[in-house]
């Protein structure tokens, strides 16, 4: 009878679920709060690498000409290391010449017998996304595009990127490379990365080579101005000042489009001391069509959310001392303790109203301390003994592009005074005092035991 009743109840519940009659039926997953219409999107604090918004960020998708950010990184590395000079000249190979003549692609036509400086080629790539100029840079740095692609993948690994594959330098489909696609890659292949990897590349590019913004922020420039070969280059980043989708503070970074990747954009903007990084991949309009306009409209949503919902807050002042941890014990010093405090203010990009959800945590340098948690004299004023980080207690997501970036949310803990090493006489007397102290403690315990 009991089993019969259970079966009846289950049958009744099944019917109700199908009809939508039960009040406790499964609730649909909450929709995207920003309603970002793209296959993947991410918003990042450029200072710390903290993720402020994410959507499908670990799926490898087509990146098209956003690829050229890796070319920029490798070129600026070479310039910094003086392996290449800005005024160094290059004469196009047959491959570069033929590719540069294709005006169906983004290009500045190069003469077969022409001579072009590295700076000219770099500006054509960074501003106008010129594909022939990009392969020229690849040949300058790697000798061939095949070798350069190897360099791209190796650098991605060094930077800690995941979910990526580079098959050419431009981001075009290999089909568009006039039969010159790099040896070892397939005719139909195209570069892919995840939104997280793309944002990480942007983060490292801005950290390691901030000078890139001097070029990516240029809205208009004339290639070979004053010559028969001059071409007006309009930046494909329409969010730059003066362009159709201008957004305050935008100064980079790179757009991209292929049929495979759809319309993509890695953007960055700085306002009121806050720099944000955005990535949208295969952005679409309301009808579901991937368009150039959509990549900027969806990016605008991300920037608006970041700049309107977050503020830079000084959570703790310079010289902050955590209750219960204002000093550290010192051995072999003239003083037995040393005062410690933070060496600078602790400021953080915080979502509005979230300040109270952060708690300070001390992390001491184990190499500096003895097994008993003591510093060994001498101790110098300003000497780092650890760092203070934060523990988040709120309900918002608190994650970073990579685990090691958590260390970006920290300030140093330092000694606030000098502690000189005690001389041998003081140390000896302390040792004797300690010995007698231990003996006295032993005697007291023994006597107490008698009574």
């Amino acid at each position: 009878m009991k089993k019969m009743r259970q079966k009846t109840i289950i049958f009744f519940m099944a019917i109700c679920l199908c009809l939508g009659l039960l009040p406790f039926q499964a609730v649909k997953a909450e929709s995207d709060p920003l309603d970002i219409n793209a296959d993947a999107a991410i918003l990042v604090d450029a200072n710390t690498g903290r993720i402020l918004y994410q959507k499908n960020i670990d799926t490898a998708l087509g990146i098209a000409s956003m690829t050229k950010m890796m070319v920029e990184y490798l070129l600026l590395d070479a310039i910094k290391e003086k392996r290449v000079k800005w005024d160094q000249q290059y004469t196009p190979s047959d491959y570069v010449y033929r590719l540069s003549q294709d005006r169906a692609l983004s290009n500045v036509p190069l003469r077969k017998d022409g001579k072009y400086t590295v700076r000219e080629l770099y500006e054509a790539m960074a501003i106008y996304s010129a594909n022939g100029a990009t392969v020229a840079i690849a040949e300058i740095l790697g000798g061939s595009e095949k070798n350069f692609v190897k360099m791209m993948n190796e650098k991605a690994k060094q930077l800690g990127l995941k979910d990526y594959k580079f098959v050419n330098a431009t981001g075009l489909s290999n089909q568009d490379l006039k039969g010159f696609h790099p040896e070892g890659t397939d005719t139909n292949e195209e570069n892919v990365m995840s939104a997280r990897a793309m944002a990480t590349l942007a983060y490292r590019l801005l950290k390691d080579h901030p000078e890139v913004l001097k070029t990516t922020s240029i809205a208009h420039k004339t290639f070979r101005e004053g010559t028969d070969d001059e071409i007006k280059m309009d930046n494909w980043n329409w969010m730059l000042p003066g362009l159709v989708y201008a957004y305050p503070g935008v100064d980079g970074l790179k757009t991209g489009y292929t049929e495979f990747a759809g319309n993509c954009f890695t953007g960055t903007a700085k306002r009121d001391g806050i720099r944000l990084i955005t990535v949208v991949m295969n952005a679409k309009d309301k009808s579901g069509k991937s368009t150039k306009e959509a990549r900027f409209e969806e990016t605008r949503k991300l920037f608006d959310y970041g700049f309107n919902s977050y503020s830079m807050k000084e959570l703790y002042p310079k010289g902050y001392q955590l209750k219960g941890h204002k000093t550290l014990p010192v051995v072999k010093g003239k003083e037995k303790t040393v005062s410690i405090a933070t060496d600078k203010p602790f400021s953080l990009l915080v979502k509005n109203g979230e300040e109270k959800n952060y708690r300070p945590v001390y992390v001491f340098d184990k190499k500096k301390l003895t097994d008993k948690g003591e510093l060994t004299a001498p101790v110098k004023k300003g000497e780092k003994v650890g760092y203070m980080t934060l523990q988040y207690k709120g309900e918002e997501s608190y994650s970073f592009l990579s685990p090691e970036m958590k260390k970006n949310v920290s300030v140093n803990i330092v000694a606030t005074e000098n502690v000189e090493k005690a001389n041998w006489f003081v140390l000896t007397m302390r040792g004797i005092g300690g010995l007698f102290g231990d003996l006295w403690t032993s005697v007291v315990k023994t006597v107490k035991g008698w009574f």
Side-chain angles (χ1 to χ4, degrees):
M1 186 69 178
K2 187 177 180 180
K3 289 184 178 180
M4 186 67 178
R5 185 181 298 170
Q6 289 176 339
K7 289 181 179 179
T8 302
I9 292 172
I10 292 171
F11 178 74
F12 176 77
M13 290 174 64
I15 292 175
C16 289
L17 281 169
C18 291
L19 296 176
L21 299 177
L22 286 181
F24 50 88
Q25 62 182 319
V27 179
K28 291 182 179 180
E30 186 177 336
S31 60
D32 180 355
L34 300 187
D35 193 27
I36 301 298
N37 196 4
D39 288 352
I42 192 169
L43 172 67
V44 176
D45 171 17
N47 182 45
T48 63
R50 181 183 173 186
I51 299 171
L52 308 180
Y53 169 89
Q54 58 181 296
K55 176 183 179 180
N56 190 32
I57 64 171
D58 292 313
T59 300
L61 301 168
I63 58 172
S65 282
M66 294 193 298
T67 296
K68 295 178 173 77
M69 289 165 55
M70 178 59 85
V71 184
E72 291 168 350
Y73 191 99
L74 288 167
L75 175 59
L76 294 173
D77 260 358
I79 294 291
K80 181 181 286 188
E81 296 166 6
K82 298 182 179 180
R83 290 184 283 112
V84 174
K85 297 180 180 179
W86 285 121
D87 59 357
Q88 183 174 321
Q89 293 192 327
Y90 166 87
T91 299
S93 64
D94 183 53
Y95 167 32
V96 168
Y97 166 72
R98 290 172 59 183
L99 180 62
S100 74
Q101 303 306 306
D102 189 345
R103 297 310 303 274
L105 305 173
S106 185
N107 265 315
V108 291
L110 303 175
R111 292 181 179 270
K112 198 168 187 178
D113 59 350
K115 291 185 181 298
Y116 303 89
T117 66
V118 169
R119 187 177 294 280
E120 286 178 311
L121 297 170
Y122 167 66
E123 290 177 343
M125 174 185 69
I127 299 169
Y128 200 49
S129 200
N131 291 291
T134 302
V135 177
I137 293 171
E139 291 184 349
I140 291 169
L141 296 178
S144 68
E145 188 176 17
K146 175 187 175 181
N147 290 340
F148 186 73
V149 168
K150 184 179 179 182
M151 292 168 61
M152 295 171 79
N153 285 296
E154 288 174 349
K155 178 56 69 173
K157 184 177 181 180
Q158 290 174 14
L159 295 177
L161 307 189
K162 296 180 181 179
D163 306 308
Y164 66 87
K165 183 179 182 182
F166 292 106
V167 297
N168 62 51
T170 60
L172 294 169
S173 168
N174 273 353
Q175 290 180 335
D176 295 322
L177 298 180
K178 312 296 182 185
F180 285 95
H181 60 275
E183 183 183 345
T185 65
D186 188 83
T187 308
N188 298 312
E189 281 192 290
E190 193 165 318
N191 297 338
V192 296
M193 292 179 76
S194 66
R196 182 195 296 271
M198 198 76 246
T200 304
L201 175 58
Y203 171 87
R204 289 299 303 269
L205 181 60
L206 293 173
K207 287 283 187 184
D208 300 341
H209 301 293
E211 67 273 19
V212 71
L213 295 173
K214 293 179 181 179
T215 306
T216 61
S217 61
I218 298 173
H220 307 285
K221 191 175 181 67
T222 301
F223 181 76
R224 294 238 138 176
E225 187 171 11
T227 72
D228 293 338
D229 296 333
E230 72 174 26
I231 293 176
K232 184 181 179 182
M233 300 187 297
D234 295 325
N235 202 312
W236 291 103
N237 177 3
W238 295 352
M239 298 189 85
L240 290 173
L243 301 185
V244 64
Y245 279 89
Y247 190 93
V250 169
D251 49 7
L253 278 163
K254 192 71 193 73
T255 60
Y257 171 78
T258 63
E259 186 176 349
F260 170 71
N263 283 278
C264 310
F265 179 44
T266 297
T268 186
K270 186 176 182 180
R271 282 166 47 180
D272 301 322
I274 298 169
R275 178 171 290 283
L276 300 177
I277 295 169
T278 61
V279 179
V280 293
M281 305 178 78
N282 194 19
K284 303 162 190 173
D285 62 18
K286 292 180 180 179
S287 70
K289 181 181 178 181
S290 181
T291 66
K292 292 181 177 68
E293 294 80 6
R295 62 190 176 190
F296 303 122
E297 290 168 353
E298 300 311 299
T299 297
R300 179 183 294 275
K301 292 180 187 177
L302 292 170
F303 280 141
D304 281 348
Y305 172 71
F307 287 119
N308 294 336
S309 300
Y310 287 81
S311 303
M312 187 63 70
K313 301 286 187 181
E314 183 180 308
L315 300 180
Y316 301 97
K318 177 181 178 180
Y320 175 79
Q321 293 182 303
L322 184 61
K323 187 177 180 180
H325 295 281
K326 295 183 178 181
T327 63
L328 276 177
V330 178
V331 293
K332 299 182 180 180
K334 288 185 176 181
E335 307 294 335
K336 293 186 177 181
T337 62
V338 63
S339 175
I340 58 173
T342 55
D343 67 341
K344 62 181 179 180
F346 201 129
S347 297
L348 186 68
L349 189 63
V350 177
K351 192 170 186 180
N352 298 336
E354 283 270 303
E355 295 94 325
K356 294 182 180 180
N357 289 325
Y358 293 90
R359 297 288 182 270
V361 177
Y362 274 9
V363 180
F364 292 109
D365 186 349
K366 292 181 179 179
K367 295 180 181 178
K368 290 273 187 178
L369 304 180
T370 67
D371 294 340
K372 294 181 179 180
E374 303 162 314
L375 289 171
T376 302
V379 178
K380 294 183 179 180
K381 182 179 180 179
E383 182 178 338
K384 181 181 175 182
V385 297
Y387 63 89
M388 186 175 85
T389 186
L390 297 175
Q391 185 177 27
Y392 178 68
K393 295 290 187 178
E395 296 180 358
E396 294 291 322
S397 174
Y398 190 76
S399 60
F400 295 78
L401 288 171
S402 61
E404 58 270 19
M405 290 186 189
K406 290 180 182 179
K407 293 182 179 179
N408 292 336
V409 181
S410 66
V411 293
N412 293 336
I413 306 169
V414 298
T416 64
E417 55 196 349
N418 292 317
V419 177
E420 296 180 10
K421 186 174 182 179
N423 59 43
W424 69 270
F425 178 76
V426 172
L427 294 176
T428 300
M429 294 306 295
R430 282 184 186 170
I432 294 172
L435 174 62
F436 280 105
D438 290 341
L439 287 173
W440 177 251
T441 300
S442 178
V443 169
V444 170
K445 286 183 178 179
T446 302
V447 172
K448 283 184 177 180
W450 292 344
F451 297 97

